[in-house]
Amino acid sequence: MGFPKNRMRRLRSSPSMRRLVRQTSVSVDDLVYPLFVREGEDIKAPIKSMTGCYHFSPDTIATEAAEVTSLGIPAVLLFGLPGRKDEIGSEAWAENGVVQRAIREIKQAAPELLVVTDVCLCEFTSHGHCGVIKACPERSRENGKIDNDPTCELLAKTALSHAQAGADIVAPSDMMDGRVRYIREALEENGFENVAIMSYAAKYASAFYGPFRDAAESVPAFGDRRAYQMDPPNADEAMAEIALDIEEGADIVMVKPALAYLDIIYRARQRFDCPIAAYNVSGEYMMVNAAGVEGLVDTEAIMMEILTSIKRAGADIVITYFAKELAKLLS
Ligand code: PBG
């Protein structure tokens, strides 16, 4: 049975009518704004590969956090670029590491702003991989692969150090097996049961991360991340990854990237009850910006349409470099 004649036209007849029947809206309440903090002082340097994004030093990030708060954005996601890298990424859990200092600065300047921290080793290791590299002489095939369990222990140490510095949410983005459980246990054992875990549960090995790797200086020195990130053609596996992370203690699960994976967001929404975050990643952001600069598309309109589609697919939270722009547009 079809709709009675002209119903659709009546329902679209004016801005107010459209507003009244609208099902999806993007609100500033849903946004998380990523920030890059690097070792140094008095730095606010534009990131070449990512228009409108900057590298901040811990002392300048407070001002940025205050601005983000004044725009009504509830949360930031912190990425760190350390002054020193090594084989195991030990600056990642240093008490006075760049992320830990930034967290303290932000919490002092904007206590109500939620600080989410990316928990991963790739920005901190000299080889740029997300964990420690296995060296096992007896099985040469295994050489150069990530050693899963020792990596999980270091990730848990990193997450704990973020919690100790004042992080509200820790977000493991490494995709090692079992790392959510290691992190949950470390938090519980040390009295941080109120710190939430937002896991990058379904994270695909994607070319959409290109501009970010440049910004975070985390291009792998050899190989790629396909041994630990998901294979783009697979969907059922994403449901299994998400189920596992929830079972291990994740409070919020993430699908990443967002745009080419709207079906994954949708399926996760149908299946799981916990909040779902979607990461509108650097490549998605820069494709829009680049097309805008060329005068091919209306950047603002495209941004709205993309963010709306991510919400419509079922995401509750959208992590996006557009957050400030969107907040200004909505206010
Ligand atoms: C680190 C990490 C990456 C991104 C977020 N955390 C890069 C990667 O996995 O290679 C990508 C974010 C973006 O592209 O905006 N593991």
Side-chain angles (χ1 to χ4, degrees):
M1 196 184 70
F3 274 172
K5 193 160 178 274
N6 289 340
R7 177 184 285 171
M8 292 311 191
R9 205 181 317 157
R10 282 191 292 277
L11 293 177
R12 293 169 194 154
S13 59
S14 69
S16 298
M17 186 66 97
R18 290 194 292 275
R19 195 151 64 92
L20 187 69
V21 301
R22 190 163 289 154
Q23 285 192 291
T24 310
S25 62
V26 188
S27 151
V28 67
D29 296 339
D30 311 322
L31 304 177
V32 178
Y33 185 55
L35 285 177
F36 297 90
V37 57
R38 76 174 318 148
E39 197 59 64
E41 267 171 48
D42 201 26
I43 298 172
K44 183 182 175 184
I47 298 173
K48 257 214 256 99
S49 62
M50 294 175 67
T51 313
C53 299
Y54 296 84
H55 283 132
F56 295 94
S57 46
D59 57 330
T60 61
I61 208 159
T63 316
E64 180 69 6
E67 191 195 329
V68 170
T69 309
S70 72
L71 287 168
I73 297 166
V76 289
L77 170 60
L78 275 189
F79 292 98
L81 288 80
R84 189 180 65 81
K85 301 188 187 213
D86 60 27
E87 271 291 300
I88 59 170
S90 52
E91 277 297 299
W93 58 87
E95 196 190 331
N96 278 317
V98 68
V99 173
Q100 289 77 359
R101 273 183 292 136
I103 299 168
R104 287 186 221 113
E105 294 284 346
I106 295 172
K107 277 290 159 192
Q108 206 163 22
E112 70 279 27
L113 182 65
L114 290 172
V115 177
V116 188
T117 55
D118 185 77
V119 176
C120 195
L121 300 180
C122 64
E123 292 106 16
F124 299 88
T125 53
S126 40
H127 43 74
H129 277 286
C130 301
V132 292
I133 305 291
K134 209 183 262 184
C136 46
E138 72 284 7
R139 284 187 310 185
S140 60
R141 246 174 8 97
E142 295 282 304
N143 279 331
K145 288 192 178 165
I146 307 280
D147 214 349
N148 192 84
D149 293 4
T151 298
C152 287
E153 291 193 17
L154 299 183
L155 292 166
K157 252 167 103 160
T158 303
L160 179 60
S161 78
H162 292 173
Q164 282 161 340
D168 303 283
I169 304 176
V170 291
S173 67
D174 52 283
M175 289 295 278
M176 297 303 136
D177 289 339
R179 87 278 204 217
V180 173
R181 174 164 296 137
Y182 276 81
I183 291 172
R184 176 54 74 208
E185 275 169 13
L187 292 174
E188 297 268 326
E189 277 164 19
N190 290 278
F192 291 101
E193 53 281 326
N194 290 334
V195 171
I197 299 176
M198 174 163 82
S199 76
Y200 289 65
K203 176 173 178 180
Y204 285 87
S206 170
F208 281 100
Y209 309 148
F212 172 94
R213 287 187 187 165
D214 194 40
E217 294 166 7
S218 65
V219 182
F222 55 88
D224 53 43
R225 304 201 205 289
R226 281 184 283 195
Y228 41 102
Q229 297 184 351
M230 286 188 54
D231 198 19
N234 297 352
D236 291 342
E237 194 186 332
M239 298 306 111
E241 288 277 10
I242 294 171
L244 259 175
D245 280 9
I246 294 172
E247 199 184 296
E248 289 182 21
D251 303 290
I252 300 169
V253 289
M254 192 200 299
V255 175
K256 175 184 172 191
L259 257 197
Y261 300 86
L262 291 176
D263 59 320
I264 307 298
I265 298 173
Y266 180 76
R267 284 175 62 157
R269 173 76 296 147
Q270 306 306 304
R271 190 138 157 184
F272 302 104
D273 295 329
C274 69
I276 294 173
Y279 200 141
N280 176 221
V281 300
S282 58
E284 301 172 29
Y285 171 74
M286 282 312 293
M287 281 180 4
V288 174
N289 273 301
V293 167
E294 289 293 316
L296 298 173
V297 297
D298 174 345
T299 313
E300 228 168 58
I302 293 266
M303 166 186 82
M304 269 321 270
E305 196 169 329
I306 287 176
L307 297 177
T308 303
S309 77
I310 295 169
K311 288 284 319 267
R312 195 185 61 233
D316 303 290
I317 299 164
V318 187
I319 302 163
T320 179
Y321 305 99
F322 284 123
K324 281 170 67 178
E325 231 174 299
L326 184 78
K328 285 176 197 160
L329 197 68
L330 293 176
S331 71

